[in-house]
Amino acid sequence: ETGVTQTPRHLVMGMTNKKSLKCEQHLGHNAMYWYKQSAKKPLELMFVYSLEERVENNSVPSRFSPECPNSSHLFLHLHTLQPEDSALYLCASSQIGGAGELFFGEGSRLTVL
Amino acid sequence: QKEVEQNSGPLSVPEGAIASLNCTYSDRVSQSFFWYRQYSGKSPELIMSIYSNGDKEDGRFTAQLNKASQYVSLLIRDSQPSDSATYLCAVDSGNTPLVFGKGTRLSVIA
């Protein structure tokens, strides 16, 4: 496998469910990111992990909980979400000290009923 | 608050024409600039990066940077229907993650 892979690609959940999004990168990068993309809004940075440590939490509600067990894997745990959390969640990776390019996964389309 | 501004469009151009996409940014210390293309239902993919003032050409794409005026643009020559997508401008200030604009939707009409 190459690049950045995300699972599941589509997820429908109720407001009381608990689910997780998974991201895996095969690029040897040492930084990973979660972004939220909603219609007519810029990409919103949620979390940044650098060398497996969280370095940024962009005022994200606690119903979103990230986990980075190693430099290749990133999870986003979801619980008691709201309908306005419905969006495309994108994982990305980059190399610290590199030129700043981000490499994105295909995204997980989340619908909260 | 660091901001990146783009006209949301849609920008419609006929096939074969030049498409011009513009982006302005607020942080004067920004160092690196990127253009991402995002097809409908897909994730963004990097198509151009530029780091110094002037033009950078790659095939039909030319990125232009003017740090004094704080703008970066993307020109697409000989536009094709396959270029129809949303183009995201992203700016890197060196010590923070990339800041993205809302994107400009381009439609190339055959």
Side-chain angles (χ1 to χ4, degrees):
Chain A
E1 290 222 40
T2 59
V4 181
T5 56
Q6 289 186 242
T7 56
R9 295 292 309 279
H10 300 273
L11 178 63
V12 180
M13 59 187 290
M15 293 169 62
T16 58
N17 290 158
K18 288 185 180 181
K19 297 286 183 182
S20 296
L21 306 181
K22 179 183 175 182
C23 175
E24 184 174 358
Q25 60 97 0
H26 305 273
L27 299 169
H29 290 162
N30 49 21
M32 296 186 76
Y33 309 76
W34 280 116
Y35 280 88
K36 176 184 178 182
Q37 189 173 39
S38 305
K40 302 189 187 304
K41 287 187 176 182
L43 279 170
E44 299 174 53
L45 178 65
M46 301 177 70
F47 299 104
V48 181
Y49 277 83
S50 175
L51 298 173
E52 302 159 40
E53 287 191 19
R54 190 192 308 181
V55 297
E56 186 143 345
N57 174 353
N58 221 22
S59 302
V60 179
S62 60
R63 57 186 184 269
F64 295 91
S65 174
E67 179 188 0
C68 185
N70 55 60
S71 60
S72 299
H73 293 85
L74 185 65
F75 295 89
L76 187 63
H77 303 300
L78 316 169
H79 64 98
T80 60
L81 295 190
Q82 305 297 310
E84 60 265 27
D85 296 323
S86 298
L88 180 68
Y89 289 85
L90 290 161
C91 174
S93 70
S94 72
Q95 188 64 23
I96 300 169
E101 299 106 76
L102 290 176
F103 295 81
F104 287 89
E106 289 295 323
S108 294
R109 173 71 62 184
L110 172 67
T111 302
V112 181
L113 301 177
Chain B
Q1 180 80 8
K2 298 172 185 175
E3 294 184 345
V4 176
E5 299 288 341
Q6 294 182 258
N7 187 324
S8 61
L11 172 66
S12 294
V13 299
E15 184 176 357
I18 296 175
S20 177
L21 305 163
N22 300 311
C23 170
T24 59
Y25 58 93
S26 62
D27 189 355
R28 286 191 170 275
V29 301
S30 298
Q31 301 172 2
S32 306
F33 307 86
F34 305 91
W35 284 99
Y36 285 80
R37 177 177 62 200
Q38 186 173 21
Y39 291 114
S40 180
K42 299 290 187 181
S43 61
E45 58 175 329
L46 180 68
I47 56 171
M48 287 287 284
S49 57
I50 187 166
Y51 307 102
S52 55
N53 281 328
D55 294 0
K56 179 182 177 182
E57 187 174 320
D58 183 0
R60 296 186 295 112
F61 298 93
T62 299
Q64 299 175 319
L65 175 61
N66 183 326
K67 290 186 178 181
S69 301
Q70 293 177 239
Y71 85 80
V72 57
S73 62
L74 179 70
L75 302 179
I76 306 175
R77 290 183 301 281
D78 188 24
S79 295
Q80 302 297 309
S82 59
D83 295 325
S84 298
T86 297
Y87 290 81
L88 304 173
C89 175
V91 176
D92 180 9
S93 298
N95 58 356
T96 59
L98 288 184
V99 179
F100 285 84
K102 291 183 182 181
T104 298
R105 189 155 60 90
L106 172 67
S107 178
V108 180
I109 310 300

